[in-house]
Amino acid sequence: MRKLLPFLLLAGCAGSSAAPDGLAAADRIPAATSAGEPEQCIPIRSIRESRVRSDQVIDFVTTGRRTYRVTLPQRCPGLGFEQRFTYATSLDRLCAQDIITVLYQGGAPQRGASCGLAPFQPVTLATRR
C-alpha cells in the first residue's frame, strides 16, 4: 500500500476567470516562449509558487525563478475562478499523470472538479509593458 503525502494547497495570484476588469482570457495569460523540452515531473520542493491563469493553464515558478507552463488537456471547471487546487502524491515530484482537485473558497474548503495535469513546459514569459 502506497503512503500518500499530505495534500498540498497551491494558490495562484493571477486575475480570476470572471475577469472583473473585462479582460479576455488571452489577455490574462502572458505569452510564453518555449525554453527547452517538456518535462514529465518536477520536484515538489522546488515549487515556489503556482499561478492559475485560466481553467486550462497553470504556471509553476520554481527555485531559480524558472517557470513551467502546464496546459491541461481539457478545461478544469472552476480552476480559473477559484485559483486554488490540491493534490496528493506518494512521490516527491509532481508529474504530468497526477490529478489536481479544485478547492472552492468560503467556509471550510470544498472540493470541486478533478483534472489531469500535462507535461511541464519550461517557458520564458513575455514581460508586460
Side-chain angles (χ1 to χ4, degrees):
M1 184 166 161
R2 291 179 10 172
K3 179 181 175 189
L4 294 180
L5 296 177
F7 283 100
L8 176 64
L9 171 69
L10 298 173
C13 64
S16 73
S17 288
D21 55 8
L23 293 175
D27 294 330
R28 288 189 314 277
I29 302 172
T33 304
S34 174
E37 293 297 315
E39 297 183 24
Q40 290 301 305
C41 301
I42 59 174
I44 292 172
R45 71 180 172 278
S46 74
I47 299 171
R48 295 293 173 235
E49 179 182 4
S50 66
R51 298 176 182 163
V52 176
R53 306 293 190 178
S54 70
D55 282 353
Q56 202 167 2
V57 176
I58 305 168
D59 288 338
F60 291 90
V61 181
T62 63
T63 53
R65 310 292 294 162
R66 188 156 194 193
T67 301
Y68 293 87
R69 177 160 287 176
V70 172
T71 302
L72 305 178
Q74 299 170 344
R75 250 182 94 255
C76 193
L79 179 63
F81 182 79
E82 294 299 330
Q83 299 185 4
R84 299 184 336 151
F85 61 88
T86 187
Y87 60 86
T89 180
S90 61
L91 304 174
D92 61 353
R93 300 177 307 269
L94 187 59
C95 297
Q97 66 272 15
D98 289 333
I99 304 294
I100 62 168
T101 300
V102 176
L103 288 179
Y104 287 96
Q105 300 179 39
Q110 301 216 7
R111 298 170 68 108
S114 290
C115 306
L117 290 175
F120 294 79
Q121 175 64 57
V123 295
T124 301
L125 298 179
T127 57
R128 298 210 179 212
R129 294 184 176 132

